Amino acid sequence: MGTIVLLPIGVDDSALDRCLGALDAGTPADTALWLADDGQAGPRAQAVIAHWLAHTPLQAEYTRRASSIGEVAHLDEMLRACAGADVVVLAPDAIPAPGWLQQLDACFARDASIGSATPWCNAGETAAWPRLGEIDPVPADLAAMAQACAALPPMHPELPSAVTHAVLLRANARRKAGGLDMHSYGSWNAALVDLSLRMAGLGWRNALCETAFVARASEGRAFDGDMDALGTRWPGWQPRLAAFLMTDPLRQMRDTLQQLHRQAIMPRSQGDLFAVPAAPPESPA
């Protein structure tokens, strides 16, 4: 069974339109994609989805609940329906770069100890590029960004937890850790972090997939009380997160990616400077 992409539908129809376009452009055509709507999408978003479904090369399905059950319970329902499969949970405003899913799958294939794999993101917290913990603009050329990431040596360093712009979850690790905790968290972002910490407690790693990039306009949000609930359940997580942000163990890797990104965009920018001008038309005799 191949990897399934889960896309919980949000309320921002413009962001959804951009996400779906990026998925079409950068994802293999045989990829299974589930758009799941917890009764959130308005008429315009539903029209965007209907038009996209009629034209996408992806193996996509769309479901919509008549009434909302809450975003954590809804995502848990999606994950349980995909039991036995590795799944990527993709934020509804994510903008995947070309090759993103193949790189995430390759990350899992390299290291069976990885329970969750998170790609780089311009708003990716501990997986942020070019600056750790900051929100930067979406890269102008995602194809060049993907090329630069793919050129990095695949080391897959450990992160304090998964980051939820995009995260690949291993089926076996997810099964042993259990489902999402819909009673303790209001946002699926916090619930996924909790799940990744439970997987880490069972011996799996939450890793950076440095060969992939998924952009995003802003960081994921947590509901009131979610961070307190995470801190209470996992008292070592926030100090570890703070130490990670302070010591910045990924700095050298990000610097290398910065150099590779410059090299990836340089031929395109210099091509215009050194293009041979067209010969003028000959005068009629």
Side-chain angles (χ1 to χ4, degrees):
M1 183 183 298
T3 300
I4 301 172
V5 179
L6 304 183
L7 183 63
I9 300 300
V11 297
D12 187 336
D13 48 72
S14 296
L16 175 63
D17 196 7
R18 189 174 183 183
C19 176
L20 295 176
L23 282 167
D24 274 352
T27 312
D30 61 349
T31 299
L33 173 63
W34 181 5
L35 288 74
D37 182 357
D38 187 33
Q40 301 297 305
R44 187 179 184 282
Q46 292 180 62
V48 166
I49 292 168
H51 180 268
W52 179 79
L53 286 171
H55 298 89
T56 182
L58 303 178
Q59 306 303 306
E61 294 186 13
Y62 171 58
T63 59
R64 176 179 171 84
R65 294 189 63 87
S67 58
S68 173
I69 59 172
E71 61 178 66
V72 180
H74 186 228
L75 180 56
D76 186 63
E77 187 176 71
M78 297 168 71
L79 291 171
R80 291 184 186 280
C82 298
D86 295 341
V87 299
V88 178
V89 180
L90 191 65
D93 63 342
I95 311 166
W100 71 286
L101 186 58
Q102 298 98 312
Q103 293 293 349
L104 285 170
D105 283 339
C107 176
F108 266 20
R110 289 186 192 102
D111 188 346
S113 74
I114 296 175
S116 79
T118 300
W120 295 111
C121 182
N122 58 293
E125 302 170 358
T126 55
W129 180 91
R131 283 172 288 275
L132 184 69
E134 295 187 14
I135 300 174
D136 283 276
V138 173
D141 189 337
L142 283 178
M145 192 73 249
Q147 178 184 334
C149 290
L152 282 172
M155 306 299 292
H156 308 319
E158 191 163 353
L159 298 173
S161 65
V163 190
T164 56
H165 52 282
V167 57
L168 175 60
L169 301 169
R170 192 179 295 276
N172 192 35
R174 199 173 77 243
R175 178 182 61 81
K176 291 188 176 181
L180 299 182
D181 184 349
M182 66 191 78
H183 304 294
S184 300
Y185 306 103
S187 66
W188 60 257
N189 295 279
L192 276 179
V193 170
D194 175 76
L195 176 62
S196 73
L197 292 171
R198 277 185 277 137
M199 291 192 297
L202 293 170
W204 277 279
R205 298 198 307 120
N206 296 305
L208 173 71
C209 180
E210 66 269 62
T211 55
F213 196 95
V214 173
R216 192 177 192 184
S218 61
E219 289 182 347
R221 61 189 179 90
F223 283 22
D224 288 344
D226 279 354
M227 292 298 102
D228 290 339
L230 280 170
T232 299
R233 177 171 292 176
W234 306 103
W237 173 65
Q238 289 177 332
R240 185 183 178 201
L241 179 61
F244 190 96
L245 294 171
M246 290 175 62
T247 59
D248 194 2
L250 301 181
R251 180 173 181 177
Q252 184 175 353
M253 187 177 289
R254 288 200 320 277
D255 289 346
T256 302
L257 180 55
Q258 184 83 282
Q259 295 171 5
L260 290 168
H261 182 245
R262 291 194 189 102
Q263 293 170 10
I265 63 176
M266 193 178 299
R268 305 181 190 196
S269 59
Q270 289 186 342
D272 294 336
L273 296 175
F274 298 104
V276 177
E282 296 184 6
S283 301

